[in-house]
Amino acid sequence: MSKYILAIETSCDETAASIIKDGTEIVSNVVSSQIESHKRFGGVVPEIASRHHVEQMTIVIEECLAQAGMEPADLTAVAVTEGPGLVGALLIGINAAKAFAFAHSLPLIPVHHIAGHIYANNLVQPMEFPLLALVVSGGHTELVYMKEHGSFELIGETRDDAAGEAYDKVARVLNLPYPGGPHIDRLAHEAAEAVPFPRVWLEEGSYDFSFSGLKSAVINYKHNMDQRGEEIIPAHVAKGFQDSVVEVLTAKTLRAAREYSVKQVIAAGGVSANKGLRTSLEEAFAKEGIPFYVPPLKLCTDNAAMIGAAAHYMYEAGVRGGMKMNGKPGMELESWI
């Protein structure tokens, strides 16, 4: 018998709800973005994000059910992002999920945001194990090894700025709008040449990442040019920065895929929407002969469909939340098996 899960996601600045069938099929998917509200501040303002979630949560859930043509009685469970994220934003979604689950006597499933990003791939292509996931988003840059559903082994992570954070900070240096990633990606593809910025590899054999030094190199380059009275060419800076990020991400992911003998490599998170990164990974793994997959753009950024996809396998494994659930802004990615 098919299982239908209503999923809710409010970890940052998108208010989202989705209904997922059997962990692989999107029945409905609604996302209310707040980008326009935060753009003038150059980043997400937590208090504003929380207020928007309060305003939109009920509307988004109702629209989600209407798109699916379903009633609460048709649902199997309710899933919600428990963490990580902005604590105020998380609490809006969690309390909405708790209220909905209690009102309709449905089980509640707490989902890790990054597990959701990884499972977005399962909505377009069955996950084959063992696999390697490269997670690249505003707050996370991680390499995760999975030997089966619900098994997560963190083999590499960022030691400072995540890739997405570095993109946004460099974008501010170049006076580009928020969010900065798409604008840097666009400029990088327009550039005929690149400013040579360093590649940070860390210790030999390490799968960890560090982008703070690269960000600082861009800032120092801008300051030096200003002091000499010379104009920078934003496209050349963008290309140099992106080339460095993409080369390190691709090389470390490729090396890890070889070492762990995986059957599949997947990319996840908002930065996986970056055209330069997608192209580099696709070409590298095509040469290597390892299947590589990345979700369509609408499933790379925060959404509730990915939360529902992960929740299906958590439900099957017997994972349940309760009315004492709370937001966990620093929640660690842990296996549920």
Side-chain angles (χ1 to χ4, degrees), residues 62-77:
E62 289 176 349
E63 175 64 19
C64 181
L65 287 165
Q67 280 188 13
M70 299 177 72
E71 299 292 333
D74 301 320
L75 300 172
T76 306

Side-chain angles (χ1 to χ4, degrees), residues 2-9 16-31 60-79 100 106 123 299 303-312:
S2 292
K3 297 177 176 64
Y4 295 89
I5 294 179
L6 169 67
I8 294 170
E9 153 64 24
S18 180
I19 294 175
I20 300 298
K21 176 182 177 182
D22 296 333
T24 59
E25 182 181 335
I26 299 174
V27 181
S28 63
N29 191 31
V30 180
V31 179
V60 167
I61 291 173
E62 289 176 349
E63 175 64 19
C64 181
L65 287 165
Q67 280 188 13
M70 299 177 72
E71 299 292 333
D74 301 320
L75 300 172
T76 306
V78 180
F100 193 98
L106 292 168
L123 294 168
L299 295 179
N303 64 89
M306 66 186 196
I307 301 302
H312 172 81

Side-chain angles (χ1 to χ4, degrees), residues 261-325:
S261 301
V262 297
K263 293 181 179 179
Q264 186 183 79
V265 175
I266 60 178
V271 183
S272 65
N274 181 284
K275 293 178 182 178
L277 178 60
R278 291 166 84 102
T279 299
S280 177
L281 290 168
E282 286 167 357
E283 291 175 352
F285 286 104
K287 290 179 182 177
E288 192 68 17
I290 299 175
F292 169 75
Y293 301 101
V294 61
L297 300 185
K298 67 179 181 180
L299 295 179
C300 289
T301 52
D302 290 352
N303 64 89
M306 66 186 196
I307 301 302
H312 172 81
Y313 296 94
M314 298 178 75
Y315 179 86
E316 294 289 294
V319 178
R320 301 290 185 272
M323 291 298 121
K324 293 184 178 180
M325 270 181 64

Side-chain angles (χ1 to χ4, degrees), residues 251-265:
K252 292 204 172 195
T253 305
L254 182 58
R255 182 160 55 82
R258 289 169 177 163
E259 181 178 335
Y260 283 81
S261 301
V262 297
K263 293 181 179 179
Q264 186 183 79
V265 175

